[in-house]
């Protein structure tokens, strides 16, 4: 499966150059030109790696990194404007996996991307026991966020994956909406129950024949029904 990479960079020319290199290597690419757009795209798609510039309009790269790390360990490469040691240290403290100093050569950036992708996802086809869960014909793999239904890949958004994973980690146990909200959005969640309902609806739709694996417990929450 071709990996999906999100490039967050407001300078069009730089973004285009990196994009061309990644496409040439067979990666799929999404682009964001500011921090808020980056977070929205990350929420919407199952992104495998993020190339994240620090200097961005709206929300800077530090803030984007910090927010993503609250609930995801997706590989992040930060682009720092100068070889400033403090910048680099802050990047690692916030959970970036690697950094590249501007101006950089695109082949070097590409090599870093490949290295991170290979180390994170090379085992995904093996679906080893400690990294994966299965039940009712649904298989999920935590390091890659890959999900299969009856052996066929399906594409979930980040939130849908988190919901499914949490329910499958607690088979047969009722998970309240509040538990889901805290697990997935943290205490800063400002939506309402309809947000959860719509994610569940989309998730069930993607599970197809296995939609009934997620059982609604009226006025309480949801549970996963299914045997390994
Ligand atoms: Ca920039």
């Amino acid at each position: 499966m071709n990996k999906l990479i999100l490039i967050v960079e407001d300078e069009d020319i730089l973004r285009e150059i990196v994009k061309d290199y990644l496409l040439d290597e067979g990666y799929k690419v999404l682009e964001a030109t500011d921090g808020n757009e980056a977070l929205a795209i990350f929420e919407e798609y199952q992104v495998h790696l993020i190339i994240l510039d620090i200097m961005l309009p709206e929300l800077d790269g530090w803030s984007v990194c910090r927010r993503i790390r609250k609930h995801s360990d997706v590989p992040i490469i930060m682009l720092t404007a100068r070889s400033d040691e403090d910048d680099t240290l802050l990047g690692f403290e916030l959970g970036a996996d690697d950094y590249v100093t501007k101006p950089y050569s695109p082949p070097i950036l590409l090599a870093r991307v490949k290295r991170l992708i290979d180390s994170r996802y090379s085992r995904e086809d093996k679906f080893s026991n400690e990294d994966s869960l299965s039940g009712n014909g649904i298989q999920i793999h935590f390091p890659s966020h890959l999900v299969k239904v009856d052996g066929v890949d399906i594409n979930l958004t980040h939130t849908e994956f988190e919901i499914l994973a949490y329910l499958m980690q607690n088979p047969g146990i009722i998970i309240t909406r509040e538990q889901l909200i805290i697990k997935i959005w943290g205490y800063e969640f400002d939506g309402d129950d309809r947000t959860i309902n719509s994610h569940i609806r989309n998730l069930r739709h993607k599970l197809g024949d296995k939609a009934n694996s997620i059982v609604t417990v009226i006025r309480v929450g949801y549970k996963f029904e299914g045997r390994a």
Side-chain angles (χ1 to χ4, degrees), residues 9-11 53-57 102:
E9 166 69 83
D10 56 320
E11 286 161 81
D53 189 29
I54 291 172
M55 301 301 286
L56 294 169
K102 284 180 167 183

Side-chain angles (χ1 to χ4, degrees), residues 88-158:
T88 307
L89 283 173
L90 181 57
F92 285 130
E93 274 168 25
L94 291 175
D97 295 275
D98 204 350
Y99 73 95
V100 173
T101 305
K102 284 180 167 183
Y104 54 84
S105 92
I108 296 256
L109 176 59
L110 189 65
R112 303 281 184 93
V113 167
K114 273 184 167 169
R115 188 178 64 86
L116 270 175
I117 292 269
D118 287 348
S119 69
R120 183 68 64 93
Y121 302 106
S122 61
R123 296 169 301 150
E124 74 178 23
D125 293 331
K126 294 178 190 154
F127 265 52
S128 75
N129 284 337
E130 73 253 40
D131 290 336
S132 64
L133 263 183
S134 58
N136 211 20
I138 302 167
Q139 238 185 342
I140 65 174
H141 183 248
F142 291 98
S144 63
H145 280 203
L146 207 64
V147 179
K148 292 178 191 284
V149 175
D150 289 335
V152 178
D153 288 345
I154 60 168
N155 274 315
L156 300 185
T157 67
H158 179 76

